[in-house]
mmCIF file of all heavy atoms in Angstrom:
data_model
loop_
_atom_site.group_PDB
_atom_site.id
_atom_site.type_symbol
_atom_site.label_atom_id
_atom_site.label_comp_id
_atom_site.label_asym_id
_atom_site.label_seq_id
_atom_site.Cartn_x
_atom_site.Cartn_y
_atom_site.Cartn_z
ATOM 1 N N ASP A 1 12.769 -21.273 25.368
ATOM 2 C CA ASP A 1 11.661 -21.995 24.738
ATOM 3 C C ASP A 1 10.579 -21.027 24.269
ATOM 4 O O ASP A 1 9.942 -21.251 23.230
ATOM 5 C CB ASP A 1 11.076 -23.020 25.701
ATOM 6 C CG ASP A 1 11.991 -24.212 25.925
ATOM 7 O OD1 ASP A 1 12.853 -24.465 25.043
ATOM 8 O OD2 ASP A 1 11.864 -24.894 26.965
ATOM 9 N N ARG A 2 10.362 -19.968 25.027
ATOM 10 C CA ARG A 2 9.369 -18.963 24.623
ATOM 11 C C ARG A 2 9.778 -18.289 23.319
ATOM 12 O O ARG A 2 8.951 -18.043 22.439
ATOM 13 C CB ARG A 2 9.199 -17.928 25.728
ATOM 14 C CG ARG A 2 8.197 -16.825 25.418
ATOM 15 C CD ARG A 2 7.930 -15.970 26.638
ATOM 16 N NE ARG A 2 7.115 -14.812 26.289
ATOM 17 C CZ ARG A 2 7.596 -13.634 25.952
ATOM 18 N NH1 ARG A 2 8.918 -13.454 25.930
ATOM 19 N NH2 ARG A 2 6.815 -12.634 25.624
ATOM 20 N N ILE A 3 11.063 -17.968 23.190
ATOM 21 C CA ILE A 3 11.576 -17.358 21.964
ATOM 22 C C ILE A 3 11.356 -18.288 20.776
ATOM 23 O O ILE A 3 10.923 -17.872 19.702
ATOM 24 C CB ILE A 3 13.064 -17.008 22.117
ATOM 25 C CG1 ILE A 3 13.242 -15.875 23.133
ATOM 26 C CG2 ILE A 3 13.676 -16.609 20.772
ATOM 27 C CD1 ILE A 3 14.680 -15.660 23.560
ATOM 28 N N LYS A 4 11.631 -19.593 20.961
ATOM 29 C CA LYS A 4 11.408 -20.575 19.903
ATOM 30 C C LYS A 4 9.943 -20.629 19.511
ATOM 31 O O LYS A 4 9.597 -20.697 18.327
ATOM 32 C CB LYS A 4 11.867 -21.955 20.362
ATOM 33 C CG LYS A 4 13.362 -22.140 20.483
ATOM 34 C CD LYS A 4 13.669 -23.569 20.947
ATOM 35 C CE LYS A 4 15.146 -23.783 21.188
ATOM 36 N NZ LYS A 4 15.431 -25.160 21.701
ATOM 37 N N PHE A 5 9.062 -20.603 20.504
ATOM 38 C CA PHE A 5 7.633 -20.721 20.256
ATOM 39 C C PHE A 5 7.100 -19.517 19.478
ATOM 40 O O PHE A 5 6.338 -19.670 18.519
ATOM 41 C CB PHE A 5 6.885 -20.863 21.584
ATOM 42 C CG PHE A 5 5.390 -20.958 21.427
ATOM 43 C CD1 PHE A 5 4.796 -22.167 21.098
ATOM 44 C CD2 PHE A 5 4.586 -19.842 21.609
ATOM 45 C CE1 PHE A 5 3.415 -22.253 20.937
ATOM 46 C CE2 PHE A 5 3.213 -19.922 21.458
ATOM 47 C CZ PHE A 5 2.627 -21.122 21.114
ATOM 48 N N ILE A 6 7.495 -18.313 19.893
ATOM 49 C CA ILE A 6 7.008 -17.099 19.226
ATOM 50 C C ILE A 6 7.579 -16.993 17.816
ATOM 51 O O ILE A 6 6.880 -16.647 16.867
ATOM 52 C CB ILE A 6 7.356 -15.858 20.063
ATOM 53 C CG1 ILE A 6 6.596 -15.904 21.393
ATOM 54 C CG2 ILE A 6 7.010 -14.578 19.315
ATOM 55 C CD1 ILE A 6 6.977 -14.801 22.361
ATOM 56 N N GLY A 7 8.861 -17.263 17.672
ATOM 57 C CA GLY A 7 9.480 -17.330 16.355
ATOM 58 C C GLY A 7 10.060 -16.028 15.846
ATOM 59 O O GLY A 7 9.708 -14.931 16.300
ATOM 60 N N SER A 8 10.939 -16.159 14.888
ATOM 61 C CA SER A 8 11.687 -15.013 14.377
ATOM 62 C C SER A 8 10.821 -14.011 13.626
ATOM 63 O O SER A 8 11.077 -12.810 13.664
ATOM 64 C CB SER A 8 12.822 -15.496 13.465
ATOM 65 O OG SER A 8 12.303 -16.200 12.343
ATOM 66 N N ASP A 9 9.803 -14.477 12.925
ATOM 67 C CA ASP A 9 8.985 -13.559 12.131
ATOM 68 C C ASP A 9 8.350 -12.487 12.997
ATOM 69 O O ASP A 9 8.339 -11.300 12.617
ATOM 70 C CB ASP A 9 7.900 -14.327 11.370
ATOM 71 C CG ASP A 9 7.039 -13.398 10.516
ATOM 72 O OD1 ASP A 9 7.597 -12.756 9.601
ATOM 73 O OD2 ASP A 9 5.825 -13.293 10.787
ATOM 74 N N PHE A 10 7.840 -12.867 14.164
ATOM 75 C CA PHE A 10 7.221 -11.871 15.032
ATOM 76 C C PHE A 10 8.249 -10.868 15.525
ATOM 77 O O PHE A 10 8.040 -9.656 15.421
ATOM 78 C CB PHE A 10 6.544 -12.534 16.233
ATOM 79 C CG PHE A 10 6.035 -11.526 17.236
ATOM 80 C CD1 PHE A 10 4.830 -10.864 17.031
ATOM 81 C CD2 PHE A 10 6.790 -11.199 18.362
ATOM 82 C CE1 PHE A 10 4.374 -9.911 17.935
ATOM 83 C CE2 PHE A 10 6.342 -10.251 19.268
ATOM 84 C CZ PHE A 10 5.139 -9.616 19.048
ATOM 85 N N PHE A 11 9.349 -11.368 16.059
ATOM 86 C CA PHE A 11 10.334 -10.461 16.637
ATOM 87 C C PHE A 11 10.951 -9.542 15.579
ATOM 88 O O PHE A 11 11.092 -8.330 15.795
ATOM 89 C CB PHE A 11 11.431 -11.254 17.347
ATOM 90 C CG PHE A 11 10.992 -11.845 18.658
ATOM 91 C CD1 PHE A 11 10.935 -13.225 18.816
ATOM 92 C CD2 PHE A 11 10.645 -11.051 19.723
ATOM 93 C CE1 PHE A 11 10.542 -13.792 20.022
ATOM 94 C CE2 PHE A 11 10.243 -11.594 20.937
ATOM 95 C CZ PHE A 11 10.188 -12.975 21.082
ATOM 96 N N LEU A 12 11.304 -10.086 14.442
ATOM 97 C CA LEU A 12 12.013 -9.309 13.433
ATOM 98 C C LEU A 12 11.110 -8.378 12.629
ATOM 99 O O LEU A 12 11.535 -7.304 12.200
ATOM 100 C CB LEU A 12 12.753 -10.238 12.470
ATOM 101 C CG LEU A 12 13.910 -11.046 13.065
ATOM 102 C CD1 LEU A 12 14.414 -12.075 12.065
ATOM 103 C CD2 LEU A 12 15.050 -10.131 13.505
ATOM 104 N N ASN A 13 9.861 -8.762 12.431
ATOM 105 C CA ASN A 13 8.996 -8.022 11.505
ATOM 106 C C ASN A 13 7.760 -7.388 12.125
ATOM 107 O O ASN A 13 7.224 -6.426 11.569
ATOM 108 C CB ASN A 13 8.556 -8.954 10.365
ATOM 109 C CG ASN A 13 9.729 -9.546 9.617
ATOM 110 O OD1 ASN A 13 10.666 -8.829 9.233
ATOM 111 N ND2 ASN A 13 9.710 -10.855 9.393
ATOM 112 N N LYS A 14 7.291 -7.895 13.255
ATOM 113 C CA LYS A 14 6.025 -7.419 13.801
ATOM 114 C C LYS A 14 6.160 -6.707 15.156
ATOM 115 O O LYS A 14 5.349 -5.832 15.466
ATOM 116 C CB LYS A 14 5.053 -8.596 13.930
ATOM 117 C CG LYS A 14 4.738 -9.251 12.590
ATOM 118 C CD LYS A 14 3.903 -10.505 12.760
ATOM 119 C CE LYS A 14 3.678 -11.190 11.408
ATOM 120 N NZ LYS A 14 2.935 -12.466 11.566
ATOM 121 N N SER A 15 7.128 -7.079 15.927
ATOM 122 C CA SER A 15 7.318 -6.456 17.235
ATOM 123 C C SER A 15 7.602 -4.968 17.098
ATOM 124 O O SER A 15 8.303 -4.538 16.189
ATOM 125 C CB SER A 15 8.468 -7.133 17.982
ATOM 126 O OG SER A 15 8.812 -6.414 19.148
ATOM 127 N N LYS A 16 7.075 -4.168 18.021
ATOM 128 C CA LYS A 16 7.303 -2.727 18.042
ATOM 129 C C LYS A 16 8.464 -2.338 18.948
ATOM 130 O O LYS A 16 8.805 -1.161 19.076
ATOM 131 C CB LYS A 16 6.034 -2.004 18.506
ATOM 132 C CG LYS A 16 4.814 -2.258 17.631
ATOM 133 C CD LYS A 16 5.022 -1.800 16.204
ATOM 134 C CE LYS A 16 3.770 -1.987 15.355
ATOM 135 N NZ LYS A 16 3.997 -1.605 13.929
ATOM 136 N N THR A 17 9.090 -3.307 19.582
ATOM 137 C CA THR A 17 10.161 -3.012 20.534
ATOM 138 C C THR A 17 11.447 -3.780 20.271
ATOM 139 O O THR A 17 12.519 -3.347 20.684
ATOM 140 C CB THR A 17 9.714 -3.333 21.971
ATOM 141 O OG1 THR A 17 9.453 -4.751 22.089
ATOM 142 C CG2 THR A 17 8.460 -2.536 22.343
ATOM 143 N N PHE A 18 11.367 -4.919 19.585
ATOM 144 C CA PHE A 18 12.539 -5.785 19.455
ATOM 145 C C PHE A 18 13.589 -5.207 18.518
ATOM 146 O O PHE A 18 13.296 -4.739 17.429
ATOM 147 C CB PHE A 18 12.132 -7.172 18.952
ATOM 148 C CG PHE A 18 13.318 -8.077 18.714
ATOM 149 C CD1 PHE A 18 13.968 -8.679 19.782
ATOM 150 C CD2 PHE A 18 13.811 -8.292 17.434
ATOM 151 C CE1 PHE A 18 15.078 -9.492 19.577
ATOM 152 C CE2 PHE A 18 14.914 -9.092 17.222
ATOM 153 C CZ PHE A 18 15.543 -9.705 18.296
ATOM 154 N N CYS A 19 14.837 -5.283 18.962
ATOM 155 C CA CYS A 19 16.001 -4.942 18.136
ATOM 156 C C CYS A 19 17.060 -6.006 18.375
ATOM 157 O O CYS A 19 17.375 -6.336 19.522
ATOM 158 C CB CYS A 19 16.534 -3.559 18.496
ATOM 159 S SG CYS A 19 18.042 -3.092 17.585
ATOM 160 N N ILE A 20 17.634 -6.532 17.332
ATOM 161 C CA ILE A 20 18.561 -7.650 17.448
ATOM 162 C C ILE A 20 19.932 -7.251 18.008
ATOM 163 O O ILE A 20 20.695 -8.082 18.490
ATOM 164 C CB ILE A 20 18.730 -8.354 16.084
ATOM 165 C CG1 ILE A 20 19.313 -9.760 16.277
ATOM 166 C CG2 ILE A 20 19.578 -7.497 15.126
ATOM 167 C CD1 ILE A 20 19.252 -10.615 15.019
ATOM 168 N N LEU A 21 20.258 -5.959 17.987
ATOM 169 C CA LEU A 21 21.606 -5.522 18.331
ATOM 170 C C LEU A 21 22.088 -5.977 19.713
ATOM 171 O O LEU A 21 23.251 -6.397 19.845
ATOM 172 C CB LEU A 21 21.723 -3.999 18.210
ATOM 173 C CG LEU A 21 21.677 -3.419 16.790
ATOM 174 C CD1 LEU A 21 22.006 -1.927 16.825
ATOM 175 C CD2 LEU A 21 22.616 -4.151 15.841
ATOM 176 N N PRO A 22 21.291 -5.900 20.787
ATOM 177 C CA PRO A 22 21.823 -6.281 22.108
ATOM 178 C C PRO A 22 22.251 -7.740 22.223
ATOM 179 O O PRO A 22 22.834 -8.130 23.240
ATOM 180 C CB PRO A 22 20.650 -5.978 23.064
ATOM 181 C CG PRO A 22 19.842 -4.949 22.354
ATOM 182 C CD PRO A 22 19.937 -5.317 20.918
ATOM 183 N N TRP A 23 21.976 -8.557 21.200
ATOM 184 C CA TRP A 23 22.375 -9.958 21.218
ATOM 185 C C TRP A 23 23.657 -10.236 20.413
ATOM 186 O O TRP A 23 24.209 -11.315 20.527
ATOM 187 C CB TRP A 23 21.239 -10.829 20.673
ATOM 188 C CG TRP A 23 20.164 -11.084 21.679
ATOM 189 C CD1 TRP A 23 20.054 -12.158 22.520
ATOM 190 C CD2 TRP A 23 19.042 -10.254 21.980
ATOM 191 N NE1 TRP A 23 18.943 -12.038 23.308
ATOM 192 C CE2 TRP A 23 18.289 -10.873 22.999
ATOM 193 C CE3 TRP A 23 18.586 -9.029 21.471
ATOM 194 C CZ2 TRP A 23 17.128 -10.337 23.521
ATOM 195 C CZ3 TRP A 23 17.422 -8.490 22.007
ATOM 196 C CH2 TRP A 23 16.707 -9.133 23.010
ATOM 197 N N MET A 24 24.120 -9.267 19.619
ATOM 198 C CA MET A 24 25.275 -9.570 18.771
ATOM 199 C C MET A 24 26.112 -8.339 18.425
ATOM 200 O O MET A 24 27.007 -8.431 17.599
ATOM 201 C CB MET A 24 24.799 -10.248 17.461
ATOM 202 C CG MET A 24 23.535 -9.695 16.785
ATOM 203 S SD MET A 24 23.658 -8.057 16.062
ATOM 204 C CE MET A 24 24.768 -8.451 14.717
ATOM 205 N N HIS A 25 25.877 -7.245 19.093
ATOM 206 C CA HIS A 25 26.512 -5.983 18.744
ATOM 207 C C HIS A 25 27.092 -5.318 19.978
ATOM 208 O O HIS A 25 26.552 -5.427 21.083
ATOM 209 C CB HIS A 25 25.475 -5.052 18.095
ATOM 210 C CG HIS A 25 25.936 -3.639 17.895
ATOM 211 N ND1 HIS A 25 26.992 -3.293 17.099
ATOM 212 C CD2 HIS A 25 25.460 -2.466 18.388
ATOM 213 C CE1 HIS A 25 27.150 -1.980 17.098
ATOM 214 N NE2 HIS A 25 26.241 -1.456 17.884
ATOM 215 N N MET A 26 28.200 -4.622 19.782
ATOM 216 C CA MET A 26 28.771 -3.816 20.850
ATOM 217 C C MET A 26 29.140 -2.441 20.286
ATOM 218 O O MET A 26 29.856 -2.343 19.284
ATOM 219 C CB MET A 26 29.999 -4.503 21.445
ATOM 220 C CG MET A 26 30.541 -3.830 22.698
ATOM 221 S SD MET A 26 31.689 -4.883 23.637
ATOM 222 C CE MET A 26 33.035 -5.088 22.466
ATOM 223 N N TYR A 27 28.603 -1.404 20.919
ATOM 224 C CA TYR A 27 28.955 -0.034 20.575
ATOM 225 C C TYR A 27 29.875 0.516 21.652
ATOM 226 O O TYR A 27 29.505 0.589 22.826
ATOM 227 C CB TYR A 27 27.702 0.845 20.459
ATOM 228 C CG TYR A 27 28.015 2.337 20.430
ATOM 229 C CD1 TYR A 27 28.503 2.938 19.277
ATOM 230 C CD2 TYR A 27 27.833 3.133 21.552
ATOM 231 C CE1 TYR A 27 28.802 4.298 19.249
ATOM 232 C CE2 TYR A 27 28.127 4.493 21.527
ATOM 233 C CZ TYR A 27 28.610 5.065 20.381
ATOM 234 O OH TYR A 27 28.919 6.406 20.354
#
């Protein structure tokens, strides 16, 4: 619910730490 509230714009464009890879990527 917190992720929904904050929203994608913050995480994808404004956050200084967020990276989407750990949710959909495997190295």
Side-chain angles (χ1 to χ4, degrees):
D1 288 337
R2 180 171 172 268
I3 292 168
K4 289 180 184 177
F5 179 81
I6 295 174
S8 61
D9 181 62
F10 173 80
F11 286 115
L12 294 171
N13 303 312
K14 299 174 184 176
S15 170
K16 301 299 183 183
T17 63
F18 176 77
C19 177
I20 198 169
L21 290 188
W23 280 266
M24 41 68 69
H25 170 62
M26 188 164 64
Y27 166 77

